[in-house]
Amino acid sequence: MRIRTAGVVAAAALMLVAGACGSQKKSDTSTAAKKSGGTLVIWADDKRTAALKPFADRFGKENGLTVQVQAVSKELQTNFLTASQSGKAPDIVVGAHDWIGNLVQNGAIDPVALSAAQKAAFSAQSIKAVTFNDQVYGVPYAVENLALIRNTALAPEVPATIEDLVATGKKLKADGKVSEIMALQVGQNGDAYHIYPLYSSAGGYLFGAKPNGDYDPKDLGVAKPEAQAAFTKIAALGEKGEGALKRSIGSDNAIATFTGGKAAFLISGPWAITDVKKAGLSYDVSPVPGFAGGKQAQPFVGVQAFYVASKGRNKAVAQEFVANYVTRTDLAKALYQAEPRPPALTAALDAVKGDDPDLQKFLDAGKNGVILPAIPEMASIWDPFGKAEAAVVGGADVPSSVQAAAKAIQEKIQ
Amino acid sequence: MFGLVAKILLLGLVAALAVWAAFPLIEAHAWVGLAVEAAVSALVFYAYLTPRRLPLKYLLPGTLFLVAFQVVPVFLTMSTAFSNFGDGHRGTKQDAITAIQTASVVEVPGSPEYALKVVTKGDNAIAFLLTDPAGKQFLGDAQGLKPVAGVPDGYTPLNLGEAGARSQEITKLAVPTAGGAIRSSGISRAYEGRAQRTYQAGCDCVVEAGTGHRWTAHDGSFVDAAGQRLPQGWRINVGLRNFTQVATDSRIARPFFRTLAWNLVFAVASVLTTFALGMLCALALHTDRLRGRTLYRMLLVLPYAMPSFAMLLVWRDMFNADFGLINRLFGLSVDWLGTPWSARLAVILVQLWLGYPYMFLVTTGALQAIPRQMTEAAQIDGATPWQAFRRVTLPLLLVALAPLLISSFAFNFNNFNAIYLTTEGGPFPADDPTAGATDLLITYTYRLAFGAAGARYGFAAAVSIYIFAIVALISAISFRRTRRQEEVYA
């Protein structure tokens, strides 16, 4: 009796297996179809996925292949590297240009061979940003940098220097119209990206340049006396000085402080404009002012770009898409509409500039900017640099804070 | 009957899963994996089809899950700890060589830019139909270039979809020329390029054409005579290096004991404060005379029901020195997260709020299991309520709750979110940006391993093994002491 039951169970289980095999066959043919028809997989963040979708579909339809745009909302770079490692890489990935150093050292992206004419269609700055070790590694589509956004109802005049800005801010504060002199995000652990314009205006720099124009990790600006001088000036704006820079203003509340009318000045990028418009403020955009008698304030210029994955299955088509399709004006315009960052394609910029005067203003603000270094060593800068900033803004001793940051960076770089 | 149907369905499911998982394994030529899979499936079928009563029938599912979700990850962590796996050292040596060679291909100066058509003769290998700017046409294949006029007989051009299907062939095809090779750029353009750097197996090194500069393989990277290494490296076994680095690296050794001390204080304080408050609430509500007990209990459990991620961020904002609710509400101007001790107090307060409902719940449960006669007997014997609590209720509670307290300690010892989402380890002393006042070992090492200069998985794995050792040691000692207590009271 028992043995018979076992037999029944075995037979029934095998029948289920047969059923499973049947469905297995079906999925097998579908993967086979994928292989023969050609599939192009693109990874991007949420916002860009929505903008890319219609264009990707059209590209697929025109050329008889399936294009999948997949949203990776968190840790896109890390996920892409992990996927490349395990053979599940997409064909194309969309991301910031300062990833290039790390993606290249992991052998995850291939150079893109753009013709001279194609390169000329982009702003020179954006092509320089995606060039690494003399190779172009991505096709840029948007450029972004910091600028000064001011509430024109409170501060009608463009401040010529940071001292002017602080004076105006203080007066408004004394009059009770605002509660903060300006909104520049610092946070408890600092923010190297946002303080860099002031740091550069006060004479500081991050890396020297090699003869070919690349950044030289051996020449570390934070370890130089210029950095001490620059941080001394930043400290004077801090909590124990003018009170213009505060650790209590961080990435989570800087824009809200401005849109809530608590500050007349905001130093931020094109991504803040959506919120500013929503708040219904009258505003204007101008370059970040420098210190009186100092150098020009240089914001970092960042570029968003399309990359071809080294481990993709469909590299020929990926190259074709990136080099000859992403360079089209209408795609650049659609990406702009998804999020208002200035297009890197000159023709696309000209097309949308008319409707959106802010774009040109942001570009002007970034004209003197420095391209965000893409060398892998840059990753070692952010954290110690930011912490030194937070320390001096909070009133800590400048020389020891800057020396400690320089030491921490040097230990990591070597 | 029902049992039989369930058995058939479950075994069918196992068989289906096995078949489903077998195909990718075969495709990847993972024969060891396939053998393991077959053996496990066979074991499952044997255990449940044999008419004998085996203890294995009860133990098998739990054991399999234990192996899959506990033992395997531990082994993976261990094996990673002995490697240099991380950014710049992710793949194999062959991957690194391919990447170096691909990245060094530059356009031959002065070479023409070709318009490309990918063509094929029947189902044979593909070829490139190239048109230079002057309009001259060539057919290129692996042998070389030959001039043609238009698409040669028998060849048909591929459209993009067809080309996509043969993408790998197209990328691989390099038409040899005098100056280098013509490669495709997409499927409509081609250029003549030359790899500047090539790997030579003889010297196990990478040589640059023209300059003769060479980088020799050493320690997972190609390094030149001056000590400069190429960015593309590969994964190698480094033995105990990650472990010794933790012990000898001054950046880690220097703040280690300070961080460990605070880590212990944080874990102990989190457990004790939450337990004290949770127990107090439970005792207060452990009386029949109180009306609306259920309502109070529901309210007390509320913080536990909210997602702690969101709550941690809300608390961080509430402790903001200028805009935070706490300073505004109490009219204070404390720089909560800006000075070491106030920040430490703040994170413990947040833990208290997040953690006491759990302690309240478990204490309420444990209290109901203590017979009322015990406390009544103590009262009759003339004990004050405090004495009754101290000598009767608390010890009995601890017998039931000690294991939970220990696991809560182990959890809080590695409570990454509690720190990372509130202070990120800060505030940091001005002269040391690497170790903050509220850093736990786990947040501190997370920053070392992933915070900057790319991910270092091998190193992170070694550190987590150290942390595991510390937690295991403390837990083992505590369990020992608890067992002694149980022997007294149980």
Side-chain angles (χ1 to χ4, degrees):
Chain A
M1 180 65 209
R2 270 231 182 91
I3 291 164
R4 251 174 67 196
T5 318
V8 169
V9 170
L14 281 176
M15 269 163 65
L16 287 175
V17 175
C21 283
S23 72
Q24 183 64 36
K25 250 181 214 150
K26 236 183 265 161
S27 71
D28 243 10
T29 48
S30 74
T31 51
K34 256 188 235 159
K35 273 175 198 157
S36 72
T39 311
L40 190 68
V41 182
I42 304 176
W43 280 11
D45 66 17
D46 297 326
K47 272 188 183 158
R48 266 154 283 274
T49 304
L52 272 171
K53 199 111 182 83
F55 288 87
D57 287 346
R58 214 169 75 198
F59 180 82
K61 217 174 263 171
E62 280 168 14
N63 298 297
L65 44 78
T66 324
V67 184
Q68 297 172 352
V69 189
Q70 292 168 356
V72 180
S73 51
K74 281 219 97 173
E75 303 282 340
L76 178 54
Q77 186 186 177
T78 316
N79 281 323
F80 171 61
L81 284 173
T82 311
S84 290
Q85 197 53 43
S86 53
K88 298 199 168 58
D91 299 295
I92 293 172
V93 68
V94 184
H97 87 268
D98 57 323
W99 297 2
I100 292 177
N102 193 30
L103 295 181
V104 168
Q105 76 169 351
N106 285 310
I109 55 172
D110 273 358
V112 182
L114 291 180
S115 69
Q118 283 176 320
K119 281 185 202 166
F122 292 96
S123 73
Q125 231 178 6
S126 64
I127 288 292
K128 197 176 160 210
V130 292
T131 307
F132 182 73
N133 286 346
D134 302 326
Q135 292 277 19
V136 173
Y137 274 98
V139 175
Y141 75 86
V143 183
E144 59 201 20
N145 53 263
L146 295 177
L148 175 69
I149 304 169
R150 76 178 195 287
N151 186 333
T152 45
L154 295 169
E157 299 295 321
V158 179
T161 62
I162 201 82
E163 283 82 358
D164 282 357
L165 187 156
V166 170
T168 316
K170 271 186 154 171
K171 189 164 172 299
L172 287 168
K173 195 175 167 182
D175 295 346
K177 288 190 177 148
V178 297
S179 62
E180 305 301 325
I181 296 172
M182 67 167 165
L184 172 70
Q185 66 189 60
V186 179
Q188 289 298 340
N189 294 323
D191 188 321
Y193 180 82
H194 281 82
I195 201 66
Y196 189 78
L198 296 184
Y199 173 75
S200 65
S201 168
Y205 68 99
L206 287 185
F207 293 114
K210 285 184 191 168
N212 70 351
D214 283 358
Y215 287 104
D216 180 7
K218 291 261 144 51
D219 181 3
L220 183 65
V222 185
K224 300 282 150 62
E226 289 93 326
Q228 302 272 359
F231 273 108
T232 309
K233 283 190 164 181
I234 290 168
L237 296 177
E239 289 166 23
K240 299 270 166 69
E242 303 278 9
L245 297 176
K246 285 177 162 185
R247 285 170 299 165
S248 58
I249 297 178
S251 57
D252 50 318
N253 60 1
I255 296 174
T257 305
F258 179 76
T259 53
K262 286 184 204 150
F265 300 101
L266 169 70
I267 293 179
S268 192
W271 53 86
I273 289 297
T274 316
D275 282 356
V276 173
K277 278 190 176 144
K278 218 181 277 166
L281 299 177
S282 57
Y283 69 95
D284 196 11
V285 178
S286 57
V288 179
F291 287 101
K295 296 184 184 164
Q296 236 168 357
Q298 295 180 301
F300 278 130
V301 176
V303 165
Q304 299 283 327
F306 286 76
Y307 308 104
V308 176
S310 301
K311 307 270 169 68
R313 300 238 168 120
N314 209 344
K315 267 157 61 167
V317 177
Q319 287 273 3
E320 185 70 20
F321 183 87
V322 165
N324 301 329
Y325 200 69
V326 172
T327 47
R328 280 166 57 162
T329 317
D330 47 352
L331 176 63
K333 270 162 72 177
L335 287 169
Y336 157 77
Q337 270 143 15
E339 202 182 13
R341 304 187 190 216
L345 206 59
T346 318
L349 177 69
D350 292 340
V352 293
K353 213 155 60 174
D355 303 331
D356 190 347
D358 295 340
L359 287 185
Q360 189 59 49
K361 290 175 188 163
F362 269 109
L363 281 182
D364 289 344
K367 209 180 277 167
N368 298 308
V370 291
I371 290 165
L372 194 55
I375 49 177
E377 284 83 1
M378 187 61 200
S380 313
I381 297 265
W382 297 116
D383 189 62
F385 191 99
K387 278 167 188 158
E389 179 211 345
V392 303
V393 165
D397 178 48
V398 173
S400 63
S401 309
V402 179
Q403 271 160 17
K407 191 165 159 249
I409 295 168
Q410 273 162 339
E411 275 173 352
K412 280 181 192 162
I413 284 181
Q414 39 141 305
Chain B
M1 193 59 216
F2 174 76
L4 187 66
V5 172
K7 197 172 178 178
I8 291 173
L9 278 176
L10 284 173
L11 280 181
L13 197 66
V14 169
L17 269 174
V19 173
W20 171 74
F23 279 90
L25 285 172
I26 293 167
E27 207 171 321
H29 300 286
W31 306 125
V32 177
L34 192 68
V36 170
E37 203 223 344
V40 169
S41 315
L43 183 67
V44 171
F45 270 78
Y46 166 74
Y48 293 103
L49 287 179
T50 175
R52 283 186 292 152
R53 293 185 184 279
L54 289 179
L56 193 62
K57 285 184 183 175
Y58 300 94
L59 293 177
L60 196 60
T63 315
L64 283 181
F65 283 119
L66 181 76
V67 169
F69 296 113
Q70 296 282 341
V71 178
V72 171
V74 167
F75 269 100
L76 278 180
T77 310
M78 299 270 261
S79 65
T80 310
F82 293 102
S83 76
N84 65 348
F85 184 42
D87 273 339
H89 298 279
R90 280 173 186 260
T92 62
K93 188 171 180 182
Q94 194 49 50
D95 287 341
I97 291 168
T98 312
I100 289 168
Q101 290 181 166
T102 317
S104 76
V105 174
V106 292
E107 217 172 310
V108 174
S111 63
E113 173 101 16
Y114 296 101
L116 169 71
K117 263 203 176 83
V118 181
V119 293
T120 176
K121 197 174 189 177
D123 271 341
N124 292 330
I126 52 154
F128 289 165
L129 181 67
L130 303 159
T131 314
D132 74 4
K136 266 195 270 179
Q137 289 191 313
F138 304 91
L139 187 71
D141 54 22
Q143 270 74 49
L145 280 179
K146 56 175 184 246
V148 289
V151 181
D153 281 343
Y155 283 90
T156 44
L158 297 180
N159 69 21
L160 203 130
E162 290 160 347
R166 307 183 68 170
S167 186
Q168 269 150 11
E169 291 170 67
I170 297 170
T171 319
K172 226 181 238 164
L173 180 58
V175 181
T177 58
I182 296 175
R183 292 177 173 82
S184 60
S185 163
I187 59 155
S188 59
R189 287 190 316 113
Y191 68 102
E192 189 176 354
R194 188 168 43 201
Q196 295 297 95
R197 290 172 184 170
T198 44
Y199 173 72
Q200 291 176 358
C203 60
D204 195 13
C205 65
V206 170
V207 180
E208 189 164 64
T211 62
H213 199 122
R214 65 175 55 200
W215 291 265
T216 314
H218 172 70
D219 216 12
S221 299
F222 288 108
V223 190
D224 71 1
Q228 291 289 323
R229 55 180 200 91
L230 291 176
Q232 298 95 338
W234 60 95
R235 181 176 174 163
I236 55 163
N237 199 331
V238 295
L240 287 169
R241 195 197 296 166
N242 288 324
F243 293 94
T244 51
Q245 198 195 348
V246 176
T248 55
D249 190 332
S250 65
R251 281 186 293 151
I252 305 165
R254 202 168 46 204
F256 181 83
F257 288 103
R258 200 189 72 207
T259 312
L260 177 64
W262 157 245
N263 203 153
L264 286 169
V265 169
F266 172 77
V268 170
S270 297
V271 174
L272 289 187
T273 52
T274 52
F275 179 57
L277 185 61
M279 185 176 62
L280 223 68
C281 296
L283 286 171
L285 293 184
H286 187 64
T287 157
D288 301 328
R289 282 173 295 176
L290 189 66
R291 253 196 234 164
R293 263 200 315 177
T294 330
L295 180 71
Y296 286 125
R297 280 184 178 154
M298 260 162 58
L299 286 177
L300 280 176
V301 176
L302 218 53
Y304 193 46
M306 293 193 207
S308 66
F309 280 86
M311 287 301 108
L312 286 167
L313 293 175
V314 168
W315 275 97
R316 182 197 64 190
D317 290 346
M318 292 208 290
F319 278 116
N320 187 306
D322 290 325
F323 311 100
L325 182 73
I326 292 175
N327 274 355
R328 297 216 155 175
L329 205 61
F330 298 108
L332 298 170
S333 57
V334 180
D335 186 6
W336 282 102
L337 304 181
T339 63
W341 284 106
S342 58
R344 287 173 184 153
L345 182 64
V347 290
I348 289 182
L349 283 176
V350 175
Q351 277 311 297
L352 174 60
W353 190 82
L354 283 174
Y356 85 89
Y358 169 75
M359 292 297 179
F360 166 72
L361 278 180
V362 295
T363 316
T364 305
L367 274 178
Q368 276 157 359
I370 297 174
R372 296 232 172 212
Q373 293 91 316
M374 297 276 225
T375 37
E376 277 162 18
Q379 258 170 350
I380 290 164
D381 283 349
T384 61
W386 167 249
Q387 279 173 324
F389 168 74
R390 179 71 189 79
R391 303 274 170 205
V392 179
T393 315
L394 186 63
L396 286 171
L397 266 183
L398 280 179
V399 168
L401 295 182
L404 292 176
L405 294 183
I406 293 169
S407 67
S408 168
F409 169 84
F411 171 78
N412 277 305
F413 194 86
N414 285 326
N415 200 335
F416 182 81
N417 291 335
I419 299 300
Y420 209 74
L421 295 181
T422 50
T423 63
E424 288 179 47
F428 290 81
D431 55 358
D432 182 8
T434 58
T438 57
D439 255 330
L440 302 182
L441 287 175
I442 192 82
T443 57
Y444 172 65
T445 48
Y446 173 83
R447 214 168 30 246
L448 272 184
F450 303 106
R456 294 165 64 197
Y457 296 105
F459 179 69
V463 171
S464 63
I465 289 176
Y466 273 110
I467 294 180
F468 166 75
I470 294 172
V471 176
L473 185 73
I474 296 172
S475 302
I477 295 171
S478 318
F479 272 118
R480 255 224 149 104
R481 298 196 49 167
T482 333
R483 204 171 313 141
R484 231 177 283 146
Q485 202 179 19
E486 267 170 46
E487 279 158 13
V488 175
Y489 286 94

